[in-house]
């Protein structure tokens, strides 16, 4: 048991700022525990989102000592407790209050992705057969917990604020989840190129580094999607070829 | 007086965006009704996202001997025959279709060798029955429903909490809510309302449940005059994390045992082999070798005792601890690493089958489950009790008010089998949506709701922030959680329950004067103050129900009456609001089984 100082972002709009709190910490605690203790004992109106406390729901995203992380999965023992621990909201989204930001834009961005569309069932009982290997390829993207930490660090959104022409890495992961679904027959390439701005991504891989689900966002989702855009729009030979070749159901390139 | 709220009208209003609420919403919208969906958190964050192990449906993909009849009989036996047998029948018959429908909407389940949906073993299920995606089945389910649902013309109101229902006679006509962001109020007029708000695990200190589980739906229904059923039956999951203290209660999926995990005590004994209940003796392995064969798919083998029902396993762990054979931090050891004796590449096998458990222990407890034992102990997990509903329509005893998912009661009786909740959400979510839409069709217009009344309720709700002093709502909540944990948890007695009821009534008085500093914009202190009424209502209902059940059965255990009683098998407990506002408890006869059901149950004993 020892006292640790936390610098927590408080308030709304222009007037928001850091405030310091001291609280007792014990073995095994995560940042979210400390925030809850401070909330229960010193700052009852401290706004914070959480649900599962086990890295499964993606609610508690924040910037801890400047690093984008889930508060519930960041153990205090992984931080330097001699120094004050800073906890701030994600910067890429408008602040609502304290640690809570307005992430509705992400939900709107997702609406632009054409939904899953399965091929007709082939088995006699009206269902489908799929190989475990094919399933696993798409499952990687389906692990996404929509924490939006990758959106938070992507410079296209964070620095250039291109929210109106770019849907961000989390949504490319979503598009990949649909596109690489073994049953999916929808074509999302034109949208990716035009409305969803996949071209703005210059493969810095910052998104991959922060993903708490360890999804290889850039290599496994974005690059294959970019390649399918190139294939369809910029490579005349492949394009010609594609006319004769039905869409590969797993979209493997 | 100017109106202090905005008004919204929907044919069907759905409260809750977990599996049950989303499925109900999709169904109601499919017939062209206008549908509003309200949830306390952001979309996709409801409890359903946390479910791990899988969803039960007797597709027979792994063992073709399985069919709805066996699933029905398993569910009834697990529920110790207090289940509403008609609900158990619908559930067993319809679950497979609901799983296939989910696949049609994009869910990607793990596969068998011949490309079908893979099914895994779980406690109390005779055959491998749980469709799953590793150990993140709930995420797959909620995301599939969410991604499908957003294109069905539903109106979502995220981070909005319903706190009052309006009735006209015995019919519900609307609901009042506040939104978290700015603390504004919303009035919903609706022709039918579906409650899908989940459980009330937050009444206890050690729980796998999130802040959302404060019994809102049960309390809203109760206050509107609806019956609550079986409130004494709460499931204590045997395997929650116990160390470090800050993670105490977080769930360790039963899938660990389904994959071969074993429970041992400080002396290294597999204590589950002792005291196997008579109802299960013939179907349980009596040696380690047979248990292992079972989990690896040998159809001739019987299941290992670790896969007995949750109530039994939980009490066995508590017994070991009480008798001084507990693990270092007061639980039991759960060991999956031992399978290296049987499997060559056991480390990658474990990581593949139980990826999120691997992560959870690695990151939160510093334990590598492929090499080390976990420490586990019981955690409050699931509410079998809840809103009493009609088996076919899911309508409560209030007209136009429907309930489905964990907040509704009946399907699981005295104890729920793992995996039967996710299938419950889909089967009865669909039914609730369908019948709510039918009910709405019968009405041509929305009822008027008196604006003076609404304004009065708004003013009342703002009191905790308007007051300049008063008690800290978090502290009242913590005291309640401790009381419930100590006196109304896994081990109950008359003296303890009476004491708990006294204290709850004391907290209720204090709650009336709770004060939340700050303004009404995203103020969790204020929300906690408002939630107290719900937590206190369900806690009192639980204790009163538990007090009158003088026997032990399923999730309910009474120290003075450690066995089942003859009488206990004949009734369910109902709680409702009496005319004078007090809580009244009544016993109602268990829904009788048809002759056909009796034959099915007999054949599967
Ligand atoms: C860790 C864990 C693992 C589990 N694993 C499994 C498993 O493997 N298999 C299985 O079958 N079951 C499992 N369960 C149980 C199962 O997940 C839950 O019972 C189920 O998901 C509940 O679904 P629901 O739709 O009823 O409620 P939820 O998914 O909890 O949704 C409730 C919704 O209601 C909303 N709400 C609540 N109150 C209000 C209010 N006042 N106003 C507005 N909205 C409100 C919430 O915001 C939320 O959107 C598990 C549970 C936990 C906690
Ligand atoms: S790789 Fe692309 S999406 Fe990811 S952070 Fe960099 S620019 Fe953004
Ligand atoms: S891809 Fe990873 S970082 Fe991005 S939202 Fe999903 S889980 Fe979070
Ligand atoms: S609370 Fe769910 S991810 Fe942190």
């Amino acid at each position: 048991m020892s006292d640790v100082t936390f610098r927590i972002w408080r308030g709304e709009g222009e007037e928001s700022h850091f405030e310091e709190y001291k609280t007792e910490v014990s073995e095994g605690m995560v940042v979210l525990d400390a925030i809850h203790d401070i909330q229960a004992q010193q700052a009852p109106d401290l706004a914070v989102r959480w649900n599962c406390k086990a890295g499964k729901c993606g609610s508690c995203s924040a910037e801890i000592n400047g690093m984008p992380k889930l508060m519930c999965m960041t153990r205090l023992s992984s931080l330097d407790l001699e120094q004050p621990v800073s906890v701030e909201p994600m910067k890429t989204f408008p602040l609502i209050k304290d640690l809570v930001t307005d992430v509705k834009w992400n939900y709107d961005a997702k609406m632009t992705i054409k939904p899953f569309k399965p091929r007709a069932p082939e088995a006699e009982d009206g269902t489908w057969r799929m190989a475990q290997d094919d399933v696993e390829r798409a499952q990687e993207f389906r692990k996404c917990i929509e924490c939006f930490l990758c959106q938070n660090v992507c410079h296209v959104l964070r620095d250039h604020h291109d929210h109106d022409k770019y849907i961000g890495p989390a949504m490319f992961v979503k598009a990949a989840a649909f596109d690489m679904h073994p049953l999916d027959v929808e074509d999302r390439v034109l949208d990716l190129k035009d409305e969803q701005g996949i071209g703005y991504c210059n493969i810095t891989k910052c998104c991959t580094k922060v993903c708490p689900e360890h999804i290889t966002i850039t290599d496994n989702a974005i690059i294959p999607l970019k390649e399918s855009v190139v294939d369809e729009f910029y490579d005349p030979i492949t394009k010609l070829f594609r006319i004769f070749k039905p869409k590969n159901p797993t979209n493997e390139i | 007086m100017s109106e202090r709220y905005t008004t919204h009208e929907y044919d069907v209003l759905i409260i809750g965006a977990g599996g049950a609420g989303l499925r109900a919403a999709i169904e109601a919208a499919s017939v062209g009704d206008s549908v509003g969906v309200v949830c306390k958190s952001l979309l996709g964050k409801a409890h359903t996202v946390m479910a791990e192990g899988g969803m039960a449906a007797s597709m027979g993909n792994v063992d073709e001997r399985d069919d709805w009849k066996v699933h029905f009989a398993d569910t009834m036996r697990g529920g110790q025959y207090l289940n509403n047998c008609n609900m158990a029948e619908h559930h067993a018959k319809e679950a497979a279709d609901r799983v296939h429908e989910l696949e049609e909407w994009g869910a990607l389940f793990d596969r068998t060798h011949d490309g079908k949906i893979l099914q895994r073993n779980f406690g109390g299920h005779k055959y491998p029955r749980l469709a799953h995606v590793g150990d993140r089945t709930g995420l797959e389910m909620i995301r599939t429903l969410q991604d499908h649902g957003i294109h069905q013309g539903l109106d979502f109101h995220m981070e909005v909490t319903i706190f009052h229902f309006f009735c006209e006679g015995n019919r519900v006509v609307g609901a009042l809510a506040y939104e978290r962001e700015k603390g504004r109020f919303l009035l919903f007029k609706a022709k039918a309302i579906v409650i899908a708000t989940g459980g009330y695990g937050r009444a206890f200190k050690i729980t796998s449940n999130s802040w959302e589980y404060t019994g809102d739906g049960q309390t809203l229904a109760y206050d509107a005059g609806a019956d609550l059923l079986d409130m004494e039956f709460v499931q204590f999951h045997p395997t929650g994390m116990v160390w470090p203290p800050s993670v105490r209660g977080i769930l360790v999926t039963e899938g660990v045992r389904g994959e071969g995990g074993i429970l041992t005590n400080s002396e290294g004994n597999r204590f589950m082999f002792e005291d196997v209940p008579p109802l299960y003796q013939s179907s349980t392995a009596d040696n380690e070798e047979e248990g292992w064969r079972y989990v690896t798919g040998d159809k001739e083998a019987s299941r290992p005792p670790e896969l007995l029902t949750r109530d039994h396993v939980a009490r066995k762990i508590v017994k070991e601890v009480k008798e001084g054979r507990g693990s270092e931090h007061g639980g039991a050891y759960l060991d999956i690493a031992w399978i290296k004796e049987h499997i060559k590449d056991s480390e990658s096998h474990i990581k593949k089958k139980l990826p999120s458990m691997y992560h959870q222990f690695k990151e939160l407890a510093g334990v590598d489950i492929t090499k080390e034992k976990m420490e586990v102990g019981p955690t409050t997990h699931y509410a079998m009790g809840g809103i009493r509903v009609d088996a076919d329509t899911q309508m409560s005893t209030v007209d136009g008010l429907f309930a489905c998912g964990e907040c509704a009661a009946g399907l699981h009786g005295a104890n729920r089998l793992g995996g039967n909740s996710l299938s419950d959400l889909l089967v009865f979510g669909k039914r609730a949506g369908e019948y709510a839409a039918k009910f709405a069709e019968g009405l041509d217009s929305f009822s008027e709701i008196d604006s003076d009344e609404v304004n009065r309720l708004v003013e009342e709700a703002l009191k905790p922030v308007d007051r300049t002093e008063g008690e800290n709502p978090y502290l009242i909540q913590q005291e309640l959680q401790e009381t419930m944990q100590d006196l109304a948890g896994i081990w109950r007695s008359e003296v303890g329950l009476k004491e708990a009821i006294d204290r709850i009534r004391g907290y209720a008085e204090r709650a009336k004067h709770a004060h939340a500093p700050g303004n009404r914009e995203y103020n969790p202190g204020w929300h906690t103050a408002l939630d107290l009424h719900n937590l206190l209502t369900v806690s009192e209902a639980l204790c009163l129900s538990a007090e009158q059940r003088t026997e032990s059965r399923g999730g309910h255990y009474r120290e003075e009456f450690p066995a089942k009683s003859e009488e206990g098998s004949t009734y369910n407990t109902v709680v409702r609001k009496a005319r004078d506002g007090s809580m009244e408890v009544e016993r109602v006869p268990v829904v009788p089984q048809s002759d056909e059901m009796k034959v099915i149950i007999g054949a599967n004993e």
Side-chain angles (χ1 to χ4, degrees), chain B residues 1-7 163-164 166 176 185-187 449-463 466 520:
Chain B
M1 192 167 165
S2 73
E3 281 175 2
R4 306 170 63 176
Y5 53 88
T6 54
T7 305
F163 66 95
H164 183 84
F166 299 94
L176 186 58
F185 289 86
L186 294 81
L187 173 68
I449 294 173
D450 177 18
S451 67
D452 288 345
E453 170 72 355
V454 180
N455 282 319
R456 191 189 64 73
L457 288 159
V458 165
E459 215 158 290
E460 187 66 30
L462 283 171
K463 279 191 177 155
D466 287 346
R520 52 157 129 160

Coordinates of all heavy atoms in Angstrom, one line a residue, chain B residues 1-7 163-164 166 176 185-187 449-463 466 520:
Chain B
M1 N -46.0 26.1 -17.4 CA -44.6 25.7 -17.2 C -44.1 25.1 -18.5 O -44.7 24.3 -19.1 CB -44.6 24.6 -16.1 CG -43.2 24.3 -15.6 SD -43.5 23.3 -14.1 CE -41.9 22.6 -13.9
S2 N -43.0 25.6 -18.9 CA -42.4 25.1 -20.2 C -41.9 23.7 -20.0 O -41.5 23.3 -18.9 CB -41.3 26.0 -20.7 OG -40.2 25.7 -19.9
E3 N -41.9 22.9 -21.1 CA -41.5 21.5 -21.0 C -40.0 21.4 -20.8 O -39.3 22.0 -21.5 CB -42.1 20.7 -22.2 CG -43.5 20.4 -22.0 CD -44.2 19.8 -23.2 OE1 -43.4 19.5 -24.2 OE2 -45.4 19.5 -23.1
R4 N -39.7 20.5 -19.9 CA -38.2 20.3 -19.6 C -37.7 19.1 -20.3 O -36.7 18.5 -19.8 CB -38.1 20.3 -18.1 CG -38.7 21.5 -17.5 CD -38.8 21.3 -16.0 NE -37.4 21.3 -15.4 CZ -37.2 21.2 -14.1 NH1 -38.2 21.2 -13.3 NH2 -35.9 21.2 -13.6
Y5 N -38.4 18.6 -21.3 CA -38.0 17.4 -21.9 C -38.3 17.4 -23.4 O -39.2 18.2 -23.8 CB -38.6 16.2 -21.2 CG -40.1 16.3 -21.1 CD1 -40.9 15.9 -22.2 CD2 -40.7 17.0 -20.1 CE1 -42.3 16.0 -22.1 CE2 -42.1 17.1 -20.0 CZ -42.9 16.7 -21.0 OH -44.2 16.8 -21.0
T6 N -37.8 16.4 -24.2 CA -38.2 16.3 -25.6 C -39.0 15.0 -25.6 O -38.9 14.1 -24.8 CB -37.0 16.1 -26.5 OG1 -36.2 15.0 -26.0 CG2 -36.1 17.3 -26.6
T7 N -39.9 14.9 -26.6 CA -40.8 13.8 -26.7 C -40.5 13.0 -28.0 O -40.3 13.6 -29.1 CB -42.3 14.3 -26.7 OG1 -42.5 15.1 -25.6 CG2 -43.3 13.1 -26.7
F163 N -36.0 5.7 -16.4 CA -36.1 5.5 -15.0 C -37.6 5.5 -14.5 O -37.8 5.5 -13.3 CB -35.3 6.6 -14.2 CG -35.8 8.0 -14.4 CD1 -36.6 8.6 -13.5 CD2 -35.3 8.7 -15.5 CE1 -37.1 9.9 -13.7 CE2 -35.8 10.0 -15.7 CZ -36.6 10.6 -14.8
H164 N -38.5 5.6 -15.4 CA -39.9 5.6 -15.0 C -40.8 5.2 -16.1 O -40.6 5.5 -17.3 CB -40.3 7.0 -14.6 CG -41.7 7.1 -14.0 ND1 -42.0 6.8 -12.7 CD2 -42.9 7.4 -14.6 CE1 -43.3 6.9 -12.5 NE2 -43.9 7.2 -13.7
F166 N -44.9 5.1 -17.5 CA -46.3 5.6 -17.4 C -47.3 4.6 -17.8 O -47.1 3.9 -18.8 CB -46.4 6.8 -18.3 CG -45.5 7.9 -18.0 CD1 -44.3 8.1 -18.6 CD2 -45.8 8.9 -17.0 CE1 -43.4 9.1 -18.3 CE2 -44.9 9.9 -16.6 CZ -43.7 10.0 -17.3
L176 N -39.9 7.5 -19.2 CA -39.1 8.7 -19.0 C -37.7 8.3 -18.8 O -37.3 7.4 -18.2 CB -39.7 9.5 -17.8 CG -39.1 10.9 -17.6 CD1 -39.3 11.8 -18.8 CD2 -39.8 11.5 -16.3
F185 N -33.7 15.4 -20.4 CA -34.7 14.4 -20.2 C -35.4 14.1 -21.5 O -35.6 15.0 -22.3 CB -35.7 14.8 -19.1 CG -35.1 14.8 -17.8 CD1 -34.3 15.9 -17.3 CD2 -35.1 13.7 -17.0 CE1 -33.7 15.9 -16.1 CE2 -34.5 13.6 -15.7 CZ -33.8 14.7 -15.3
L186 N -35.8 12.8 -21.7 CA -36.6 12.4 -22.9 C -37.8 11.6 -22.5 O -37.7 10.8 -21.6 CB -35.7 11.4 -23.7 CG -34.4 11.9 -24.4 CD1 -33.3 11.9 -23.4 CD2 -34.0 11.0 -25.6
L187 N -38.9 12.0 -23.1 CA -40.2 11.3 -22.9 C -40.4 10.4 -24.1 O -40.4 10.9 -25.2 CB -41.3 12.2 -22.7 CG -42.7 11.6 -22.6 CD1 -42.8 10.7 -21.3 CD2 -43.8 12.6 -22.6
I449 N -49.7 11.7 -22.2 CA -49.1 11.6 -20.9 C -49.0 13.0 -20.3 O -48.6 14.0 -21.0 CB -47.6 11.0 -21.1 CG1 -47.8 9.6 -21.5 CG2 -46.9 11.1 -19.8 CD1 -46.5 8.9 -21.9
D450 N -49.5 13.2 -19.1 CA -49.7 14.5 -18.5 C -48.4 15.2 -18.3 O -47.5 14.7 -17.6 CB -50.4 14.2 -17.1 CG -50.6 15.5 -16.4 OD1 -50.5 16.6 -17.0 OD2 -50.8 15.5 -15.1
S451 N -48.2 16.3 -18.9 CA -46.9 17.0 -18.8 C -46.6 17.5 -17.4 O -45.4 17.6 -17.0 CB -46.8 18.1 -19.8 OG -47.7 19.1 -19.5
D452 N -47.6 17.8 -16.6 CA -47.3 18.2 -15.2 C -46.7 17.1 -14.5 O -45.7 17.3 -13.7 CB -48.6 18.6 -14.5 CG -49.1 20.0 -15.0 OD1 -48.3 20.7 -15.7 OD2 -50.3 20.3 -14.8
E453 N -47.2 15.9 -14.7 CA -46.6 14.7 -14.1 C -45.2 14.5 -14.5 O -44.3 14.2 -13.7 CB -47.5 13.5 -14.5 CG -47.0 12.1 -14.1 CD -47.0 11.9 -12.6 OE1 -47.4 12.8 -11.8 OE2 -46.7 10.7 -12.2
V454 N -44.9 14.7 -15.8 CA -43.6 14.5 -16.3 C -42.6 15.5 -15.6 O -41.6 15.1 -15.1 CB -43.5 14.6 -17.8 CG1 -42.1 14.4 -18.3 CG2 -44.4 13.6 -18.5
N455 N -43.1 16.7 -15.6 CA -42.2 17.8 -15.0 C -42.0 17.5 -13.5 O -40.9 17.7 -13.0 CB -42.9 19.1 -15.2 CG -42.7 19.7 -16.6 OD1 -41.6 19.5 -17.2 ND2 -43.7 20.2 -17.2
R456 N -43.0 17.0 -12.9 CA -42.8 16.6 -11.4 C -41.7 15.5 -11.3 O -40.8 15.6 -10.4 CB -44.1 16.2 -10.8 CG -44.1 16.0 -9.3 CD -45.4 15.4 -8.8 NE -45.5 14.0 -9.3 CZ -44.8 12.9 -8.8 NH1 -43.9 13.1 -7.9 NH2 -45.0 11.7 -9.3
L457 N -41.8 14.5 -12.2 CA -40.8 13.4 -12.1 C -39.4 13.9 -12.4 O -38.4 13.5 -11.8 CB -41.2 12.3 -13.0 CG -42.4 11.5 -12.6 CD1 -43.1 10.8 -13.8 CD2 -42.1 10.5 -11.5
V458 N -39.3 14.8 -13.4 CA -38.0 15.4 -13.7 C -37.4 16.1 -12.5 O -36.2 15.9 -12.2 CB -38.1 16.4 -14.9 CG1 -36.9 17.2 -15.1 CG2 -38.4 15.6 -16.2
E459 N -38.2 16.9 -11.9 CA -37.8 17.6 -10.7 C -37.3 16.7 -9.6 O -36.2 16.9 -9.0 CB -38.9 18.4 -10.1 CG -38.5 19.8 -9.6 CD -39.8 20.7 -9.6 OE1 -40.2 21.1 -10.7 OE2 -40.3 20.9 -8.5
E460 N -38.1 15.6 -9.4 CA -37.7 14.6 -8.4 C -36.4 14.0 -8.7 O -35.5 13.8 -7.9 CB -38.8 13.5 -8.4 CG -38.7 12.5 -7.4 CD -39.0 13.1 -6.0 OE1 -39.7 14.1 -5.8 OE2 -38.4 12.5 -5.0
A461 N -36.2 13.7 -10.0 CA -34.9 13.0 -10.4 C -33.7 13.9 -10.2 O -32.6 13.4 -10.0 CB -35.0 12.6 -11.9
L462 N -34.0 15.2 -10.3 CA -32.8 16.1 -10.2 C -32.4 16.4 -8.8 O -31.4 17.1 -8.5 CB -33.2 17.5 -10.9 CG -33.1 17.4 -12.4 CD1 -33.6 18.7 -13.1 CD2 -31.6 17.2 -12.9
K463 N -33.2 15.9 -7.8 CA -33.0 16.3 -6.4 C -31.5 16.0 -5.9 O -30.9 16.8 -5.3 CB -34.0 15.6 -5.5 CG -35.3 16.5 -5.4 CD -36.2 16.0 -4.4 CE -37.4 16.9 -4.4 NZ -38.6 16.3 -3.8
D466 N -29.5 18.8 -7.1 CA -30.0 20.1 -6.6 C -29.7 20.3 -5.1 O -29.5 21.4 -4.7 CB -31.5 20.2 -6.9 CG -31.8 20.4 -8.3 OD1 -30.8 20.7 -9.1 OD2 -33.0 20.3 -8.8
R520 N -25.5 18.3 -13.8 CA -26.1 17.1 -14.3 C -25.4 16.6 -15.6 O -25.9 15.7 -16.2 CB -27.6 17.3 -14.5 CG -27.9 18.5 -15.3 CD -29.3 18.3 -15.8 NE -30.2 19.4 -15.6 CZ -31.3 19.5 -16.3 NH1 -31.7 18.7 -17.2 NH2 -32.1 20.5 -16.0

